[in-house]
Amino acid sequence: MHTNTWGNYPPILTKFPKNEKNLVFDFTNGDFSCIIRKIVSKISRSNCVCCGVVLKCSLKKCHEKFCVFRRSASKKEIEKCAAAGNRSGEDMFTCIFHETRLSPPPKAFREKWRTDKGETNLDKFVIHGGHRLLGEIEVSGAKNAAVALIPAILLCDEPCILENVPNISDVTISLRILYEMGAQVEYLNKTTVRINATGLQNYCVPYESARKMRASYYFLGALLGRYGKARVSMPGGCPLGDRPIDQHLKAFSALDAKCSIEHGMVDLVADQLTGSQIYLDVVSVGATMNAMLAAVRATGLTVIENAAKEPHIVDLANFLNSMGADIMGAGTDVIKIRGVSHLHGAVYSVIPDQIEAGTFMIAAAATGGDVLVKNIIPKHLEPISSKMRKIGVNIEEFDDSIRIWVDGPLVRTNVKTMPHPGFPTDMQPQITTLLTLAEGTSIITEGVWEQRFCYVDELRRMGADISVDGKVAVVEGVGCLTGAPVKACDLRAGAALIIAGLAARGITEIEDIYHIERGYSNLDAKLREVGADIEKVSDPVAKVEMKEAM
């Protein structure tokens, strides 16, 4: 009897190898790296006809071999998968044990059971509000820098060591992508990782990993710079509105690369990357960094005009220069890159995360606390600090730390988000939450993303008085919020809800915290160290429902 179990979904096996007697598919273990939990008797072919990779199950309890699609397929392979009923090759799931012609479980079921770090829906934060934050708190490495520095190592011909690496799901996914492509990845301690991509020949980024985060597009520039070709799925990330990659493709085209998008995959090919003049139509952090990655080993001089100026762009330039690149002007709107033929290994420390630091600063102010935020670069925080001072927050800067305390009422102010050095869009939800506690009417104008106010409905559940019209929000200060069950709709919205919960009276439960864990390292533990009553718990109701479904 051939069986497979998709919960309440019926079996969908169609054809088996002749000698197969009992093939059991078990997804209840919650680990999609173990596609086949048990193989009672050998099947006639134990590797995928597309990738040909045979590996052992990652679960310690299981010693059977299984085949998993470890990289994105070529166009020819995708056509082969499509011929087997794989919906235009968009779902690489079918490529696993292709020989059995097993149809994949329904998408809704796969989404429900995805348990890669940062994507489980079972966990939530429970916050008992009303406690002042007091003490010292340390900031981790910058998410937006780390997710670009990790792909940049592909450009190097020797091992590299990155220090101050944040423990967040986006970084985990980036490292997993390198590992699945064949690189050696080794953690030396909790925040230091050694990566060796020497001899790597794979220019295709694994589909399932790449589509989980926005920053996967940095592999386009890095792979194009190293191999002259790249294949990466369209990126994922937070739902903040239209986030096209047209400026990225424009930069690659200027360097003589040919670009195409088919079946959700971005393909880049170049016989020889040649330095050129690149003008970005809009200020784009991602396009600026991707252009830098692609141009660093191109022949000749590349000039990027209207470049973004964020601190993590400077950090990427410093990292590449430490490996032997020739980049000037990072941090200004004109970046000049003279291509080199070789990059050597380096030991480099990721800059502190300005957004995490700003989140802690606002959390301290919202609770009327007194907190010293450590491991920061004060200059990176100037747009945030200046706006908080206008609200009535006391701020004292030191060499690598900043103290925040409140000894009076918070007052209204207006905020407009802009590219650096303006007020960062990633801090907009947090400061909006703070302004709900201030006296008077504040106006928030979002100047970067179209859908940054998705969290407003959740704040209203907690008693906030906010009205939104397009990219403008009007905030009437209410002085006090009350706890309520809410959901994080994206990374920074989740941080804003945590701040609201800390300041509110009563209990706040925040669901969908996988968004938050994409960008904040051990956030609940850090907040507890300064007096917050916050706990990460598993939802027992959801567990019961999932158990019943099986």
Side-chain angles (χ1 to χ4, degrees):
M1 178 69 178
H2 304 298
T3 62
N4 72 327
T5 305
W6 313 137
N8 293 328
Y9 294 99
I12 43 179
L13 292 174
T14 58
K15 184 178 179 182
F16 296 88
K18 294 181 180 179
N19 298 329
E20 166 53 23
K21 296 180 179 179
N22 189 5
L23 184 64
V24 179
F25 294 84
D26 181 4
F27 286 77
T28 62
N29 58 64
D31 187 345
F32 268 75
S33 66
C34 179
I35 303 303
I36 295 186
R37 182 69 178 86
K38 181 180 179 183
I39 303 178
V40 179
S41 60
K42 291 184 179 179
I43 64 174
S44 62
R45 186 169 187 164
S46 60
N47 61 336
C48 176
V49 296
C50 288
C51 68
V53 176
V54 178
L55 298 171
K56 284 190 176 181
C57 175
S58 64
L59 296 182
K60 293 181 179 179
K61 296 179 182 178
C62 178
H63 302 289
E64 303 293 343
K65 289 186 176 182
F66 71 101
C67 166
V68 61
F69 204 81
R70 303 296 286 186
R71 60 177 177 81
S72 300
S74 67
K75 184 177 180 180
K76 185 176 181 181
E77 290 167 339
I78 284 180
E79 291 173 351
K80 186 185 295 184
C81 292
N86 180 16
R87 298 196 305 278
S88 300
E90 66 182 23
D91 189 349
M92 297 308 168
F93 207 95
T94 301
C95 297
I96 300 166
F97 273 93
H98 190 119
E99 190 72 11
T100 66
R101 301 296 175 91
L102 169 68
S103 299
K107 181 177 180 181
F109 187 85
R110 298 200 313 276
E111 291 296 328
K112 183 176 181 181
W113 281 98
R114 178 172 294 118
T115 56
D116 286 342
K117 182 177 180 182
E119 292 203 18
T120 174
N121 291 323
L122 297 181
D123 294 331
K124 62 183 178 181
F125 284 136
V126 177
I127 304 172
H128 294 257
H131 300 276
R132 294 179 67 211
L133 300 188
L134 301 169
E136 299 179 354
I137 194 166
E138 188 162 334
V139 173
S140 300
K143 162 192 173 287
N144 291 332
V147 294
L149 267 57
I150 291 171
I153 293 175
L154 288 169
L155 294 164
C156 180
D157 300 316
E158 300 172 8
C160 290
I161 294 177
L162 286 181
E163 300 173 341
N164 198 33
V165 177
N167 179 26
I168 56 177
S169 60
D170 273 15
V171 165
T172 301
I173 293 170
S174 295
L175 293 173
R176 182 189 303 149
I177 288 173
L178 283 182
Y179 177 77
E180 290 177 346
M181 292 177 68
Q184 297 176 12
V185 179
E186 177 188 4
Y187 266 98
L188 304 182
N189 58 47
K190 290 183 179 180
T191 60
T192 304
V193 61
R194 182 181 185 272
I195 302 172
N196 184 2
T198 305
L200 194 68
Q201 297 299 322
N202 191 356
Y203 64 91
C204 300
V205 172
Y207 175 83
E208 282 295 327
S209 296
R211 71 184 185 88
K212 294 175 185 174
M213 67 170 188
R214 179 71 179 172
S216 62
Y217 55 41
Y218 290 130
F219 284 92
L220 284 170
L223 289 168
L224 183 64
R226 175 164 178 166
Y227 299 113
K229 51 187 176 181
R231 182 175 176 79
V232 182
S233 72
M234 290 292 287
C238 293
L240 303 178
D242 191 22
R243 305 173 77 180
I245 62 169
D246 59 313
Q247 295 302 302
H248 303 241
L249 302 183
K250 178 182 179 180
F252 297 144
S253 296
L255 297 171
D256 289 342
K258 296 179 181 179
C259 312
S260 64
I261 301 177
E262 293 182 1
H263 306 301
M265 304 294 291
V266 182
D267 284 290
L268 302 175
V269 178
D271 294 331
Q272 174 64 59
L273 292 175
T274 306
S276 179
Q277 197 92 1
I278 301 173
Y279 181 82
L280 300 178
D281 300 325
V282 295
V283 177
S284 167
V285 173
T288 300
M289 297 176 90
N290 243 337
M292 293 168 62
L293 290 168
V296 74
R297 291 183 64 167
T299 60
L301 178 67
T302 298
V303 179
I304 306 172
E305 296 186 86
N306 198 29
K309 297 175 279 190
E310 272 69 8
H312 36 284
I313 290 178
V314 178
D315 204 39
L316 175 60
N318 290 340
F319 177 51
L320 292 171
N321 284 339
S322 72
M323 294 192 293
D326 186 358
I327 303 175
M328 298 177 292
T332 72
D333 57 1
V334 178
I335 300 176
K336 296 181 179 180
I337 306 168
R338 194 170 297 279
V340 297
S341 60
H342 169 79
L343 293 179
H344 56 75
V347 178
Y348 191 82
S349 181
V350 181
I351 59 171
D353 196 318
Q354 65 176 133
I355 305 302
E356 182 183 0
T359 299
F360 291 147
M361 292 167 66
I362 289 182
T367 60
D370 188 342
V371 173
L372 181 70
V373 182
K374 302 167 64 177
N375 186 34
I376 58 103
I377 300 175
K379 186 172 180 60
H380 293 173
L381 299 174
E382 285 179 356
I384 303 168
S385 300
S386 63
K387 192 62 66 174
M388 291 183 68
R389 286 191 175 101
K390 290 183 179 180
I391 298 173
V393 180
N394 299 309
I395 296 177
E396 184 179 5
E397 296 180 359
F398 304 97
D399 290 340
D400 61 353
S401 60
I402 190 168
R403 180 190 170 205
I404 302 93
W405 75 99
V406 175
D407 55 11
L410 302 176
V411 297
R412 62 159 301 279
T413 192
N414 296 333
V415 178
K416 181 177 181 179
T417 65
M418 299 175 66
H420 191 80
F423 190 86
T425 180
D426 281 353
M427 285 299 302
Q428 183 255 93
Q430 297 94 309
I431 202 164
T432 300
T433 301
L434 181 63
L435 289 171
T436 64
L437 306 172
E439 298 175 353
T441 303
S442 303
I443 298 176
I444 312 295
T445 304
E446 175 56 46
V448 180
W449 300 119
E450 296 176 353
Q451 298 177 20
R452 260 295 190 199
F453 292 112
C454 68
Y455 63 91
V456 166
D457 287 340
E458 303 303 307
L459 287 181
R460 287 180 183 140
R461 293 167 62 88
M462 301 180 71
D465 184 357
I466 306 174
S467 58
V468 178
D469 183 10
K471 291 188 175 183
V472 178
V474 179
V475 182
E476 298 287 350
V478 295
C480 182
L481 299 174
T482 56
V486 292
K487 288 186 177 182
C489 59
D490 63 60
L491 168 57
R492 306 307 174 184
L497 294 177
I498 287 180
I499 293 170
L502 293 173
R505 292 198 305 258
I507 300 174
T508 299
E509 295 185 359
I510 304 174
E511 297 180 357
D512 291 351
I513 64 172
Y514 63 89
H515 287 298
I516 301 170
E517 293 177 336
R518 285 186 49 237
Y520 291 92
S521 177
N522 305 316
L523 181 58
D524 54 328
K526 289 182 179 181
L527 289 172
R528 282 194 295 270
E529 290 178 358
V530 290
D533 188 346
I534 178 174
E535 185 179 5
K536 180 179 176 180
V537 301
S538 293
D539 188 341
V541 175
K543 280 192 170 182
V544 170
E545 290 177 352
M546 293 180 71
K547 186 175 181 180
E548 290 175 351
M550 296 308 300

